[in-house]
Amino acid sequence: MLEAKPVSTPAITGRRLSLHDGQPLSDPTTYRSVVGALQYLTITRPDIAFAVNQVCQFMHHPTSTHWIAIKRILRYIKNTYSHGLFYRPGSFTLTAYSDTNYAGDPDDRISTGGSCIYLGPNLVSWSSKKQQGVSRSSTEAEYRQLAYTAATISWFQQLFRDLRLPLSYPKLWCDNISAISLASNPVFHTRTRHVEVDYHYVREKVVCGELVVSYLCTTDQLADLFTKGLAAARFSSLVSKLPVRDLPISLRGNVKPCNQSTQNKVSTVFNALSNPAKSGHH
């Protein structure tokens, strides 16, 4: 892919991959190997989380169309190879965004949920994954994702308590008014009996004052990046708010070669660590 033409987004806008797209690959080994490498890359590159999540769903039966989707991700990485997450000092305040692409999978109509959590101005957690079951309404899908995100927030709260660090009440942003109503108003629950009891976990957190769920406009929903393929302008805008950007500094070309004496010392230490029994070190 070194000579491939770079692209500005890792996934095609408005289209989801299907199990039945394309022709089966004769040897899926390369497909699985590349997907495995991309999974490691998502640890520091949240901007490719949704695209990688898509191609991961076809490891058992990859096709030519799925391979094209992988090559698009690689073309995007080529265009942004020096990008990474940028961190800076900030406050101990948790802010989370939760969003869902309702019934987005063309094969089983399971919704895809996305979330991202900030500590001050810094992104510390993100997720893009299919939900565990089919939702009968967009409200249920959104409420489900609220529960997933609230559970992650609770883990961070417990971590800060164990570290004895102060942490103000988190705020969870969602762009679905009905889901927010379910989280704060029990009167609505009589109309949604098909929603399982454990999803009411969010409402318990709200009632106890441990979580504030608020509405924001869809255009300001940062988690939208983790639920679907977006147009270049929208994608670039959200990525800049993660923030994933070009590295401000580079050490490339500044590595000075060591002299022969230093090389001999390094070799001696390396051999000692590699063969502790032989060298007498334990």
Side-chain angles (χ1 to χ4, degrees), residues 221-244:
Q221 177 57 272
L222 302 187
D224 197 28
L225 182 71
F226 303 99
T227 63
K228 63 178 75 70
L230 301 172
R234 170 77 169 154
F235 179 83
S236 177
S237 174
L238 294 181
V239 167
S240 67
K241 296 176 182 178
L242 289 180
V244 173

PDB file of all heavy atoms in Angstrom, residues 221-244:
ATOM      1  N   GLN A 221     -22.632  16.008  18.565  1.00  0.00           N
ATOM      2  CA  GLN A 221     -22.442  14.687  19.153  1.00  0.00           C
ATOM      3  C   GLN A 221     -21.115  14.084  18.693  1.00  0.00           C
ATOM      4  O   GLN A 221     -20.972  13.605  17.572  1.00  0.00           O
ATOM      5  CB  GLN A 221     -23.611  13.766  18.755  1.00  0.00           C
ATOM      6  CG  GLN A 221     -23.511  12.331  19.241  1.00  0.00           C
ATOM      7  CD  GLN A 221     -23.380  12.201  20.736  1.00  0.00           C
ATOM      8  OE1 GLN A 221     -22.266  12.228  21.276  1.00  0.00           O
ATOM      9  NE2 GLN A 221     -24.509  12.087  21.414  1.00  0.00           N
ATOM     10  N   LEU A 222     -20.126  14.081  19.589  1.00  0.00           N
ATOM     11  CA  LEU A 222     -18.796  13.576  19.241  1.00  0.00           C
ATOM     12  C   LEU A 222     -18.792  12.070  19.018  1.00  0.00           C
ATOM     13  O   LEU A 222     -18.008  11.544  18.220  1.00  0.00           O
ATOM     14  CB  LEU A 222     -17.793  13.945  20.337  1.00  0.00           C
ATOM     15  CG  LEU A 222     -17.627  15.430  20.654  1.00  0.00           C
ATOM     16  CD1 LEU A 222     -16.483  15.627  21.637  1.00  0.00           C
ATOM     17  CD2 LEU A 222     -17.368  16.236  19.390  1.00  0.00           C
ATOM     18  N   ALA A 223     -19.682  11.345  19.721  1.00  0.00           N
ATOM     19  CA  ALA A 223     -19.715   9.893  19.591  1.00  0.00           C
ATOM     20  C   ALA A 223     -20.259   9.436  18.247  1.00  0.00           C
ATOM     21  O   ALA A 223     -20.214   8.249  17.928  1.00  0.00           O
ATOM     22  CB  ALA A 223     -20.550   9.292  20.717  1.00  0.00           C
ATOM     23  N   ASP A 224     -20.772  10.367  17.446  1.00  0.00           N
ATOM     24  CA  ASP A 224     -21.253  10.040  16.098  1.00  0.00           C
ATOM     25  C   ASP A 224     -20.142   9.419  15.263  1.00  0.00           C
ATOM     26  O   ASP A 224     -20.377   8.609  14.364  1.00  0.00           O
ATOM     27  CB  ASP A 224     -21.773  11.315  15.427  1.00  0.00           C
ATOM     28  CG  ASP A 224     -22.651  11.022  14.220  1.00  0.00           C
ATOM     29  OD1 ASP A 224     -23.283   9.951  14.184  1.00  0.00           O
ATOM     30  OD2 ASP A 224     -22.715  11.866  13.308  1.00  0.00           O
ATOM     31  N   LEU A 225     -18.915   9.757  15.596  1.00  0.00           N
ATOM     32  CA  LEU A 225     -17.740   9.254  14.883  1.00  0.00           C
ATOM     33  C   LEU A 225     -17.583   7.749  15.030  1.00  0.00           C
ATOM     34  O   LEU A 225     -16.985   7.085  14.178  1.00  0.00           O
ATOM     35  CB  LEU A 225     -16.493   9.965  15.422  1.00  0.00           C
ATOM     36  CG  LEU A 225     -15.137   9.634  14.803  1.00  0.00           C
ATOM     37  CD1 LEU A 225     -15.054  10.216  13.401  1.00  0.00           C
ATOM     38  CD2 LEU A 225     -14.016  10.190  15.669  1.00  0.00           C
ATOM     39  N   PHE A 226     -18.156   7.168  16.112  1.00  0.00           N
ATOM     40  CA  PHE A 226     -17.962   5.754  16.414  1.00  0.00           C
ATOM     41  C   PHE A 226     -19.147   4.879  16.002  1.00  0.00           C
ATOM     42  O   PHE A 226     -19.179   3.697  16.349  1.00  0.00           O
ATOM     43  CB  PHE A 226     -17.698   5.586  17.917  1.00  0.00           C
ATOM     44  CG  PHE A 226     -16.518   6.367  18.418  1.00  0.00           C
ATOM     45  CD1 PHE A 226     -16.693   7.585  19.058  1.00  0.00           C
ATOM     46  CD2 PHE A 226     -15.230   5.894  18.237  1.00  0.00           C
ATOM     47  CE1 PHE A 226     -15.606   8.308  19.518  1.00  0.00           C
ATOM     48  CE2 PHE A 226     -14.137   6.609  18.691  1.00  0.00           C
ATOM     49  CZ  PHE A 226     -14.320   7.821  19.333  1.00  0.00           C
ATOM     50  N   THR A 227     -20.105   5.446  15.298  1.00  0.00           N
ATOM     51  CA  THR A 227     -21.302   4.674  14.959  1.00  0.00           C
ATOM     52  C   THR A 227     -21.546   4.505  13.472  1.00  0.00           C
ATOM     53  O   THR A 227     -22.321   3.637  13.075  1.00  0.00           O
ATOM     54  CB  THR A 227     -22.559   5.335  15.568  1.00  0.00           C
ATOM     55  OG1 THR A 227     -22.743   6.642  15.002  1.00  0.00           O
ATOM     56  CG2 THR A 227     -22.435   5.453  17.080  1.00  0.00           C
ATOM     57  N   LYS A 228     -20.892   5.297  12.626  1.00  0.00           N
ATOM     58  CA  LYS A 228     -21.167   5.220  11.188  1.00  0.00           C
ATOM     59  C   LYS A 228     -20.057   5.890  10.399  1.00  0.00           C
ATOM     60  O   LYS A 228     -19.245   6.649  10.961  1.00  0.00           O
ATOM     61  CB  LYS A 228     -22.513   5.894  10.877  1.00  0.00           C
ATOM     62  CG  LYS A 228     -22.532   7.387  11.204  1.00  0.00           C
ATOM     63  CD  LYS A 228     -23.859   8.031  10.846  1.00  0.00           C
ATOM     64  CE  LYS A 228     -24.921   7.680  11.830  1.00  0.00           C
ATOM     65  NZ  LYS A 228     -24.719   8.323  13.154  1.00  0.00           N
ATOM     66  N   GLY A 229     -20.032   5.626   9.095  1.00  0.00           N
ATOM     67  CA  GLY A 229     -19.122   6.324   8.218  1.00  0.00           C
ATOM     68  C   GLY A 229     -19.626   7.735   7.954  1.00  0.00           C
ATOM     69  O   GLY A 229     -20.819   7.941   7.756  1.00  0.00           O
ATOM     70  N   LEU A 230     -18.738   8.708   7.961  1.00  0.00           N
ATOM     71  CA  LEU A 230     -19.127  10.113   7.839  1.00  0.00           C
ATOM     72  C   LEU A 230     -18.463  10.761   6.636  1.00  0.00           C
ATOM     73  O   LEU A 230     -17.430  10.295   6.150  1.00  0.00           O
ATOM     74  CB  LEU A 230     -18.738  10.876   9.112  1.00  0.00           C
ATOM     75  CG  LEU A 230     -19.338  10.367  10.426  1.00  0.00           C
ATOM     76  CD1 LEU A 230     -18.714  11.104  11.598  1.00  0.00           C
ATOM     77  CD2 LEU A 230     -20.858  10.548  10.437  1.00  0.00           C
ATOM     78  N   ALA A 231     -19.077  11.854   6.167  1.00  0.00           N
ATOM     79  CA  ALA A 231     -18.483  12.638   5.089  1.00  0.00           C
ATOM     80  C   ALA A 231     -17.179  13.263   5.573  1.00  0.00           C
ATOM     81  O   ALA A 231     -16.968  13.447   6.776  1.00  0.00           O
ATOM     82  CB  ALA A 231     -19.453  13.717   4.630  1.00  0.00           C
ATOM     83  N   ALA A 232     -16.314  13.605   4.629  1.00  0.00           N
ATOM     84  CA  ALA A 232     -14.967  14.072   4.962  1.00  0.00           C
ATOM     85  C   ALA A 232     -14.970  15.288   5.885  1.00  0.00           C
ATOM     86  O   ALA A 232     -14.213  15.342   6.860  1.00  0.00           O
ATOM     87  CB  ALA A 232     -14.196  14.379   3.681  1.00  0.00           C
ATOM     88  N   ALA A 233     -15.830  16.273   5.605  1.00  0.00           N
ATOM     89  CA  ALA A 233     -15.843  17.500   6.407  1.00  0.00           C
ATOM     90  C   ALA A 233     -16.290  17.214   7.842  1.00  0.00           C
ATOM     91  O   ALA A 233     -15.673  17.685   8.801  1.00  0.00           O
ATOM     92  CB  ALA A 233     -16.764  18.533   5.765  1.00  0.00           C
ATOM     93  N   ARG A 234     -17.364  16.439   7.978  1.00  0.00           N
ATOM     94  CA  ARG A 234     -17.873  16.080   9.300  1.00  0.00           C
ATOM     95  C   ARG A 234     -16.861  15.221  10.053  1.00  0.00           C
ATOM     96  O   ARG A 234     -16.606  15.427  11.244  1.00  0.00           O
ATOM     97  CB  ARG A 234     -19.197  15.332   9.137  1.00  0.00           C
ATOM     98  CG  ARG A 234     -19.745  14.675  10.394  1.00  0.00           C
ATOM     99  CD  ARG A 234     -20.383  15.662  11.319  1.00  0.00           C
ATOM    100  NE  ARG A 234     -21.129  14.994  12.370  1.00  0.00           N
ATOM    101  CZ  ARG A 234     -21.382  15.515  13.561  1.00  0.00           C
ATOM    102  NH1 ARG A 234     -20.970  16.740  13.836  1.00  0.00           N
ATOM    103  NH2 ARG A 234     -22.061  14.870  14.453  1.00  0.00           N
ATOM    104  N   PHE A 235     -16.270  14.262   9.384  1.00  0.00           N
ATOM    105  CA  PHE A 235     -15.285  13.384  10.000  1.00  0.00           C
ATOM    106  C   PHE A 235     -14.080  14.181  10.498  1.00  0.00           C
ATOM    107  O   PHE A 235     -13.636  14.015  11.632  1.00  0.00           O
ATOM    108  CB  PHE A 235     -14.844  12.329   8.987  1.00  0.00           C
ATOM    109  CG  PHE A 235     -13.811  11.369   9.509  1.00  0.00           C
ATOM    110  CD1 PHE A 235     -14.184  10.274  10.257  1.00  0.00           C
ATOM    111  CD2 PHE A 235     -12.459  11.581   9.262  1.00  0.00           C
ATOM    112  CE1 PHE A 235     -13.229   9.387  10.747  1.00  0.00           C
ATOM    113  CE2 PHE A 235     -11.504  10.703   9.741  1.00  0.00           C
ATOM    114  CZ  PHE A 235     -11.903   9.602  10.488  1.00  0.00           C
ATOM    115  N   SER A 236     -13.566  15.060   9.672  1.00  0.00           N
ATOM    116  CA  SER A 236     -12.404  15.864  10.042  1.00  0.00           C
ATOM    117  C   SER A 236     -12.704  16.758  11.239  1.00  0.00           C
ATOM    118  O   SER A 236     -11.861  16.930  12.130  1.00  0.00           O
ATOM    119  CB  SER A 236     -11.969  16.706   8.849  1.00  0.00           C
ATOM    120  OG  SER A 236     -10.887  17.547   9.182  1.00  0.00           O
ATOM    121  N   SER A 237     -13.920  17.306  11.284  1.00  0.00           N
ATOM    122  CA  SER A 237     -14.307  18.175  12.396  1.00  0.00           C
ATOM    123  C   SER A 237     -14.331  17.417  13.719  1.00  0.00           C
ATOM    124  O   SER A 237     -13.838  17.901  14.738  1.00  0.00           O
ATOM    125  CB  SER A 237     -15.682  18.795  12.114  1.00  0.00           C
ATOM    126  OG  SER A 237     -16.146  19.531  13.225  1.00  0.00           O
ATOM    127  N   LEU A 238     -14.896  16.196  13.709  1.00  0.00           N
ATOM    128  CA  LEU A 238     -14.989  15.415  14.942  1.00  0.00           C
ATOM    129  C   LEU A 238     -13.626  14.898  15.380  1.00  0.00           C
ATOM    130  O   LEU A 238     -13.323  14.874  16.573  1.00  0.00           O
ATOM    131  CB  LEU A 238     -15.964  14.255  14.750  1.00  0.00           C
ATOM    132  CG  LEU A 238     -17.432  14.641  14.540  1.00  0.00           C
ATOM    133  CD1 LEU A 238     -18.303  13.402  14.386  1.00  0.00           C
ATOM    134  CD2 LEU A 238     -17.939  15.499  15.701  1.00  0.00           C
ATOM    135  N   VAL A 239     -12.797  14.482  14.436  1.00  0.00           N
ATOM    136  CA  VAL A 239     -11.462  13.983  14.769  1.00  0.00           C
ATOM    137  C   VAL A 239     -10.636  15.071  15.451  1.00  0.00           C
ATOM    138  O   VAL A 239      -9.880  14.807  16.383  1.00  0.00           O
ATOM    139  CB  VAL A 239     -10.747  13.464  13.504  1.00  0.00           C
ATOM    140  CG1 VAL A 239      -9.262  13.237  13.775  1.00  0.00           C
ATOM    141  CG2 VAL A 239     -11.387  12.169  13.034  1.00  0.00           C
ATOM    142  N   SER A 240     -10.792  16.305  15.016  1.00  0.00           N
ATOM    143  CA  SER A 240     -10.034  17.408  15.611  1.00  0.00           C
ATOM    144  C   SER A 240     -10.445  17.661  17.058  1.00  0.00           C
ATOM    145  O   SER A 240      -9.678  18.236  17.834  1.00  0.00           O
ATOM    146  CB  SER A 240     -10.232  18.688  14.791  1.00  0.00           C
ATOM    147  OG  SER A 240     -11.574  19.146  14.869  1.00  0.00           O
ATOM    148  N   LYS A 241     -11.664  17.218  17.428  1.00  0.00           N
ATOM    149  CA  LYS A 241     -12.147  17.423  18.796  1.00  0.00           C
ATOM    150  C   LYS A 241     -11.801  16.257  19.716  1.00  0.00           C
ATOM    151  O   LYS A 241     -12.064  16.308  20.911  1.00  0.00           O
ATOM    152  CB  LYS A 241     -13.663  17.638  18.783  1.00  0.00           C
ATOM    153  CG  LYS A 241     -14.084  18.902  18.043  1.00  0.00           C
ATOM    154  CD  LYS A 241     -15.601  19.028  17.982  1.00  0.00           C
ATOM    155  CE  LYS A 241     -16.007  20.279  17.206  1.00  0.00           C
ATOM    156  NZ  LYS A 241     -17.479  20.421  17.085  1.00  0.00           N
ATOM    157  N   LEU A 242     -11.210  15.171  19.175  1.00  0.00           N
ATOM    158  CA  LEU A 242     -10.889  14.023  20.035  1.00  0.00           C
ATOM    159  C   LEU A 242      -9.793  14.321  21.057  1.00  0.00           C
ATOM    160  O   LEU A 242      -9.948  13.842  22.225  1.00  0.00           O
ATOM    161  CB  LEU A 242     -10.517  12.810  19.165  1.00  0.00           C
ATOM    162  CG  LEU A 242     -11.680  12.157  18.404  1.00  0.00           C
ATOM    163  CD1 LEU A 242     -11.213  10.984  17.586  1.00  0.00           C
ATOM    164  CD2 LEU A 242     -12.797  11.749  19.342  1.00  0.00           C
ATOM    165  N   PRO A 243      -8.693  14.986  20.826  1.00  0.00           N
ATOM    166  CA  PRO A 243      -8.207  15.448  19.527  1.00  0.00           C
ATOM    167  C   PRO A 243      -7.125  14.511  18.977  1.00  0.00           C
ATOM    168  O   PRO A 243      -6.160  14.188  19.664  1.00  0.00           O
ATOM    169  CB  PRO A 243      -7.600  16.807  19.860  1.00  0.00           C
ATOM    170  CG  PRO A 243      -7.124  16.649  21.282  1.00  0.00           C
ATOM    171  CD  PRO A 243      -7.985  15.608  21.942  1.00  0.00           C
ATOM    172  N   VAL A 244      -7.304  14.086  17.740  1.00  0.00           N
ATOM    173  CA  VAL A 244      -6.268  13.358  17.010  1.00  0.00           C
ATOM    174  C   VAL A 244      -5.671  14.328  16.005  1.00  0.00           C
ATOM    175  O   VAL A 244      -6.390  14.898  15.185  1.00  0.00           O
ATOM    176  CB  VAL A 244      -6.850  12.131  16.280  1.00  0.00           C
ATOM    177  CG1 VAL A 244      -5.798  11.501  15.390  1.00  0.00           C
ATOM    178  CG2 VAL A 244      -7.361  11.112  17.294  1.00  0.00           C
TER     179      VAL A 244
END
